[in-house]
Amino acid sequence: MNSVRDKCVIVPNCINVERMELTPEIENRAAEIKAENLGKTICIAVGRHTAYKGFTYLIQASNFLDDRFKIYITGKGELTEALHKEATGDEKIVFTGRIDDMELKALIMASDIFCFPSITKNEAFGLALAEGMYYGKPAITFTIPGSGVNYVCIDGEDGIEVENRNAKKYAEAMKTLAENAELREKYGNAGRKRVEENFLSTQFSENVKKAFYEL
């Protein structure tokens, strides 16, 4: 088995560079969202409402936060109704439903923190995570054995990784980033650089060509 493994070459997944392009319309909408949440730390979580995405732990984390936070959760799924019920009365949380690319990019650009609370290796890589990092947003993840999530976002370099399913620790990480603009900028800049060097479609093409050449 080890001899076979030694012959394997890993080509990381990638995000589409062209899809990530920003427009004046997106930038204006991002400015509007910031103005609507003046004085608040804006957080965003992106994905289908299914168990492995871990949104329930983000909602639980919100219970440890004060009203200086605003948490946007995009998407829909089989758990949408249950998540809405769990978040009842928490005005910090906004469910956007399914939104178009323009609004999604604007929300990410307006945000201060990219929340990625997936909990199992069903989340094999995390394209949305890479997209958030590409836009220079510091990320918060859970430790997920067997997943590539913690390879995409390196703890202490591009964001903060916390104990799996520990909502209190997740909230503490959110507070840490909210209270430290320099740290947010440091992680955000490092995250964008990591994506640019490893996870763009242009780099993917080069990685594939290199793998074939080395064969």
Side-chain angles (χ1 to χ4, degrees):
M1 181 67 73
N2 286 334
S3 61
V4 174
R5 182 178 297 172
D6 292 341
K7 296 177 182 178
C8 294
V9 175
I10 297 174
V11 178
N13 209 334
C14 66
I15 59 176
N16 189 321
V17 178
E18 294 179 0
R19 179 177 173 272
M20 304 306 294
E21 186 176 346
L22 297 176
T23 64
E25 183 183 18
I26 293 170
E27 293 173 343
N28 289 338
R29 176 60 184 142
E32 288 178 358
I33 295 169
K34 280 184 171 291
E36 292 166 4
N37 294 283
L38 196 61
K40 294 185 182 294
T41 298
I42 303 173
C43 309
I44 185 169
V46 177
R48 187 164 62 90
H49 298 176
T50 194
Y52 78 83
K53 288 292 186 180
F55 291 126
T56 183
Y57 299 100
L58 179 57
I59 293 171
Q60 291 174 29
S62 181
N63 293 327
F64 297 100
L65 304 173
D66 59 33
D67 61 6
R68 289 174 292 181
F69 286 80
K70 179 69 75 173
I71 303 170
Y72 289 91
I73 300 177
T74 74
K76 285 188 176 181
E78 63 270 21
L79 294 182
T80 296
E81 185 177 346
L83 293 174
H84 278 245
K85 185 175 181 180
E86 185 175 8
T88 298
D90 190 340
E91 296 183 358
K92 297 186 297 297
I93 296 177
V94 176
F95 291 97
T96 69
R98 291 193 181 96
I99 53 179
D100 60 26
D101 253 13
M102 191 279 284
E103 184 70 5
L104 176 60
K105 292 175 186 177
L107 276 169
I108 296 175
M109 287 305 298
S111 69
D112 300 293
I113 301 171
F114 194 88
C115 294
F116 198 78
S118 293
I119 54 173
T120 76
K121 62 181 181 180
N122 293 67
E123 191 71 81
F125 180 82
L127 284 175
L129 172 61
E131 290 177 351
M133 291 167 61
Y134 178 79
Y135 285 137
K137 305 304 173 179
I140 304 176
T141 63
F142 283 123
T143 301
I144 312 175
S147 168
V149 167
N150 306 127
Y151 166 73
V152 175
C153 182
I154 307 299
D155 181 38
E157 293 184 14
D158 317 303
I160 301 176
E161 176 186 328
V162 301
E163 180 186 3
N164 201 295
R165 295 175 170 83
N166 191 325
K168 186 174 182 180
K169 291 289 186 182
Y170 205 93
E172 289 173 359
M174 294 171 75
K175 290 177 184 177
T176 295
L177 290 178
E179 294 166 359
N180 194 328
E182 288 186 7
L183 188 62
R184 292 199 306 272
E185 183 176 7
K186 175 185 174 182
Y187 286 167
N189 290 339
R192 181 179 174 96
K193 182 179 179 182
R194 179 160 177 75
V195 172
E196 288 177 335
E197 293 178 349
N198 296 278
F199 309 129
L200 294 185
S201 50
T202 48
Q203 185 62 44
F204 180 85
S205 299
E206 292 302 314
N207 290 341
V208 171
K209 289 177 184 177
K210 181 180 178 183
F212 276 110
Y213 178 78
E214 292 178 349
L215 287 174

